[in-house]
Amino acid sequence: MNDFPPLTRYLTRYFPVFMGTIFMAIFSGSSAVSLAGVTYLRDVDPELKSSYSGLAILVLVAVIVFGNVMIARGRPWATALVAGYLGCCLLFVLPMIQYHLHVLVYGSAVLFPLLGLLLLNSKRHREMRQKLLEVRRLREAVIAKRNAR
């Protein structure tokens, strides 16, 4: 394993957990929006429901993309944004139990944000964020040194 370049070693170690968190966030948001259409918005006109769902998906995608780009750029506060996103998806879905949804559908809508939070709090994800923070600080030092000339 030592004969691989450093970037390849880094990606093989941290890329799966990074992408797993992103996929759990995508699945959490999409399941929350789709379940909202059959529960909270069930009496709304289908055209209006479609518009609301599309707008909600756009907002959720923007939040999750921004949060993960900022994590990749070494910003520690972005972890709270992604965790908040997953927590909001979970808290949005939990009261839907009163609508007696299919057990598998409801269970997966609850499981996705929990798995995302678990991945976000994993040792490997924390190591990755620490290394990304170090890279950001090195990049800032190089820029400061270049500007000082």
Side-chain angles (χ1 to χ4, degrees):
M1 185 88 172
N2 288 337
D3 53 341
F4 290 122
L7 181 62
T8 305
R9 277 184 281 152
Y10 180 83
L11 288 177
T12 55
R13 178 154 175 84
Y14 300 118
F15 190 71
V17 74
F18 184 68
M19 288 308 297
T21 305
I22 291 173
F23 280 123
M24 289 303 109
I26 291 168
F27 296 155
S28 298
S30 62
S31 62
V33 169
S34 64
L35 285 180
V38 296
T39 56
Y40 300 141
L41 303 174
R42 67 176 178 260
D43 295 330
V44 177
D45 179 47
E47 270 186 39
L48 191 59
K49 188 189 308 186
S50 161
S51 297
Y52 285 158
S53 296
L55 182 64
I57 289 292
L58 285 175
V59 169
L60 292 175
V61 165
V63 169
I64 199 61
V65 165
F66 178 72
N68 282 297
V69 166
M70 289 295 106
I71 286 175
R73 296 285 296 175
R75 305 289 180 180
W77 55 264
T79 306
L81 179 69
V82 175
Y85 170 92
L86 291 165
C88 286
C89 286
L90 178 64
L91 291 175
F92 184 73
V93 168
L94 281 178
M96 292 181 189
I97 196 165
Q98 66 186 340
Y99 291 97
H100 305 290
L101 299 167
H102 190 275
V103 174
L104 184 62
V105 173
Y106 181 75
S108 63
V110 171
L111 184 66
F112 291 143
L114 289 174
L115 285 175
L117 288 168
L118 182 67
L119 283 172
L120 197 62
N121 194 38
S122 69
K123 181 180 178 185
R124 193 165 288 190
H125 204 284
R126 283 183 272 140
E127 286 174 6
M128 178 193 69
R129 291 193 312 261
Q130 183 60 38
K131 288 189 185 280
L132 289 169
L133 180 62
E134 292 170 11
V135 168
R136 183 179 129 236
R137 289 188 176 140
L138 287 171
R139 188 173 49 242
E140 288 173 348
V142 167
I143 291 170
K145 187 176 179 181
R146 186 182 321 146
N147 290 339
R149 284 190 228 169

